[in-house]
Amino acid sequence: MTEPLLSVENLKTHFETDSGLIRAVDGVSFEVNRGETVCIVGESGSGKSVTSESVTRLFESPPGKIADGTVTFDGHDITAATEAELRSLRGSRISYIFQNPQGALNPVYTVGTQIVESLQLHTDLRKDEARERAIELLDQVGIPEATTRVDDYPHEFSGGMKQRVVIAMALACQPDLLIADEPTTALDVTIQAQILRLLDELQEEFDMSVLLITHDLGVVAEVADRVVVMYAGKVMERGDVFELFDNPAHPYTKALLECLPGEGEMEAIGGALPSPANPPNGCRFHPRCPYAVEECAVGDQPPLHDVDESADDHVAACLYFGDDYDPSVVGYGSDEPSRAKADGGVRE
């Protein structure tokens, strides 16, 4: 097998605050292979965005720092890369799309000027060549009359069109890895679907890998190849999208799936996320878990256990998948169909 494009191993990102040490990302590991889409999913506050920002250290430092772990991109450890080395990667080989397009665009410059600036920063294109490339990119992401709209300002675009402009900027240098952090959250449902289709088409055209951050399992079902489920800075479950939706292992994953609309009544997850400054002992999810036993509240987070020998890289951080425990207690292996695939949610 070829090595993954991105490999994150035991990543820990901490923030020193007046309230104490915040362990926003606490031992996260996952990989993104070339040409695939990996989704990181979880409730707001689970550490998803900080995980994505930690790849190229986008967070403010201080107070933030990578306390442990490694980030390997295309075979090179970039954990300790200099700021200059990271700037050469950002926007060229690794690009970001953020959930608020208004905040990602400078209101006093035309969208064309901002795309041209990105192109000239990372390529040898002359200004006139960069402008022509900017028009091509706007046309590519579905901006009508791109030749004239290239000279418009961000306030002259709708929310969905702003996000298309941000996508054009992210794709300007044909990155190997696109990190999209909640790129459709601020958009209405119809525009969300258009943006997701656009990203899928562009991924195939540019042969990109995509790391998508979302709390929306409906989006995950639509676009993911593999899924990483996070909770309170930890990975709860990781696996192939079909395996995870059909046979969810961790009680937290099951609880997230039960929040999806489908057959039967949706069930909210009781309780709230723990404070990252004072997480509970044992499994981070145990105070909200209906299957928790005394052992779940002792020691550290359970390690990631193999869920099923026949399922490639399907692992769950739950003691019921360790020795001397019965995974059927948490409902693993149930014949009950998953509501997550209602209405053909998982792509074929």
Side-chain angles (χ1 to χ4, degrees):
M1 292 181 62
T2 59
E3 65 180 13
L5 177 66
L6 177 70
S7 178
V8 175
E9 190 70 32
N10 193 36
L11 181 66
K12 296 182 180 181
T13 304
H14 297 168
F15 293 84
E16 293 281 358
T17 72
D18 294 339
S19 302
L21 185 67
I22 303 296
R23 297 174 176 84
V25 179
D26 200 11
V28 168
S29 299
F30 64 91
E31 295 178 346
V32 181
N33 294 317
R34 298 172 191 273
E36 79 167 345
T37 298
V38 172
C39 286
I40 300 181
V41 66
E43 293 171 276
S44 296
S46 294
K48 309 183 299 298
S49 292
V50 179
T51 298
S52 69
E53 292 168 357
S54 298
V55 171
T56 63
R57 296 209 306 272
L58 275 180
F59 52 79
E60 187 174 347
S61 180
K65 68 175 182 178
I66 293 181
D68 198 3
T70 58
V71 177
T72 304
F73 177 72
D74 198 15
H76 301 284
D77 184 357
I78 62 172
T79 316
T82 65
E83 185 61 29
E85 290 169 335
L86 290 175
R87 276 200 305 268
S88 71
L89 281 177
R90 299 179 193 134
S92 56
R93 299 198 63 196
I94 302 175
S95 284
Y96 283 82
I97 301 172
F98 297 103
Q99 72 180 76
N100 180 12
Q102 184 67 46
L105 295 169
N106 191 320
V108 302
Y109 292 105
T110 66
V111 297
T113 298
Q114 295 180 65
I115 298 173
V116 166
E117 180 183 35
S118 177
L119 285 165
Q120 290 193 294
L121 184 64
H122 296 290
T123 72
D124 296 326
L125 292 176
R126 299 192 311 270
K127 189 171 184 178
D128 59 332
E129 293 173 329
R131 178 182 167 83
E132 286 302 312
R133 177 64 180 144
I135 293 170
E136 290 175 10
L137 285 163
L138 291 176
D139 183 65
Q140 210 162 14
V141 298
I143 301 291
E145 301 178 2
T147 305
T148 56
R149 300 228 66 184
V150 71
D151 295 317
D152 287 346
Y153 289 86
H155 73 270
E156 298 178 273
F157 291 81
S158 67
M161 286 297 169
K162 284 193 190 78
Q163 193 63 291
R164 289 173 185 266
V165 171
V166 171
I167 292 171
M169 292 176 64
L171 297 179
C173 298
Q174 299 187 14
D176 299 296
L177 174 65
L178 179 66
I179 300 178
D181 187 359
E182 303 272 14
T184 62
T185 297
L187 308 175
D188 65 50
V189 175
T190 304
I191 304 301
Q192 281 185 23
Q194 293 175 5
I195 295 297
L196 290 175
R197 281 197 298 270
L198 174 63
L199 287 174
D200 192 46
E201 292 165 3
L202 293 171
Q203 178 183 15
E204 185 174 351
E205 181 175 345
F206 287 94
D207 193 27
M208 291 184 304
S209 300
V210 176
L211 178 62
L212 179 67
I213 314 301
T214 184
H215 64 270
D216 189 338
L217 278 168
V219 171
V220 173
E222 182 70 25
V223 304
D225 294 306
R226 290 188 298 118
V227 185
V228 179
V229 180
M230 282 189 66
Y231 181 83
K234 295 282 191 180
V235 173
M236 296 288 114
E237 188 167 355
R238 189 179 65 221
D240 172 83
V241 64
F242 293 103
E243 179 64 25
L244 188 138
F245 272 62
D246 281 340
N247 297 298
H250 199 282
Y252 179 58
T253 308
K254 294 173 68 69
L256 287 177
L257 292 173
E258 287 169 358
C259 293
L260 283 175
E263 296 180 7
E265 185 177 341
M266 292 186 292
E267 298 180 24
I269 305 175
L273 279 160
S275 166
N278 186 30
N281 291 329
C283 176
R284 298 275 167 95
F285 186 60
H286 88 261
R288 305 170 70 186
C289 181
Y291 307 101
V293 292
E294 185 176 337
E295 291 87 344
C296 295
V298 177
D300 297 323
Q301 177 75 27
L304 288 164
H305 296 289
D306 288 329
V307 169
D308 189 328
E309 292 181 0
S310 64
D312 184 37
D313 191 36
H314 187 187
V315 293
C318 178
L319 64 78
Y320 282 103
F321 291 89
D323 296 336
D324 303 323
Y325 287 90
D326 181 5
S328 68
V329 172
V330 294
Y332 182 74
S334 170
D335 292 332
E336 181 182 349
S338 170
R339 291 185 306 192
K341 294 182 70 173
D343 301 321
V346 176
R347 70 178 184 184
E348 297 180 355

